[in-house]
Amino acid sequence: SYKHQKIPILRIKKLIKKLTKVKLLSNEVPFLMGKALEMFILDFSYRSWIFSVIEKRKTIKVILFSF
């Protein structure tokens, strides 16, 4: 739901305006971007955890995830 957003919507809105030349945004855009970012972070952390369990590692380095 809209009120249970983990990432601040105002911060997302500021980033969108700063990185693009858009001046007006509907309320749905920052909400959807925030949800997409939450899903990405959850998926990335889950995959990192699975990798660390399979490889029996206690720490994960950035070099392991370079594409």
Side-chain angles (χ1 to χ4, degrees):
S1 88
Y2 184 73
K3 293 186 178 186
H4 298 292
Q5 188 85 12
K6 293 181 180 176
I7 299 171
I9 292 180
L10 288 176
R11 187 170 293 170
I12 295 170
K13 204 172 195 177
K14 285 179 185 178
L15 279 172
I16 292 172
K17 286 183 178 182
K18 185 177 181 180
L19 297 175
T20 62
K21 294 182 181 180
V22 175
K23 292 185 181 184
L24 294 175
L25 290 173
S26 66
N27 290 334
E28 293 87 15
V29 173
F31 175 73
L32 291 174
M33 293 292 288
K35 283 296 178 184
L37 185 57
E38 282 180 30
M39 291 171 60
F40 172 76
I41 292 170
L42 281 172
D43 183 57
F44 187 77
S45 59
Y46 177 73
R47 288 175 189 245
S48 301
W49 175 73
I50 292 292
F51 177 79
S52 67
V53 169
I54 290 172
E55 297 292 323
K56 296 182 176 125
R57 294 181 179 261
K58 292 184 180 180
T59 58
I60 299 172
K61 297 178 183 176
V62 176
I63 193 77
L64 297 173
F65 291 100
S66 61
F67 298 102

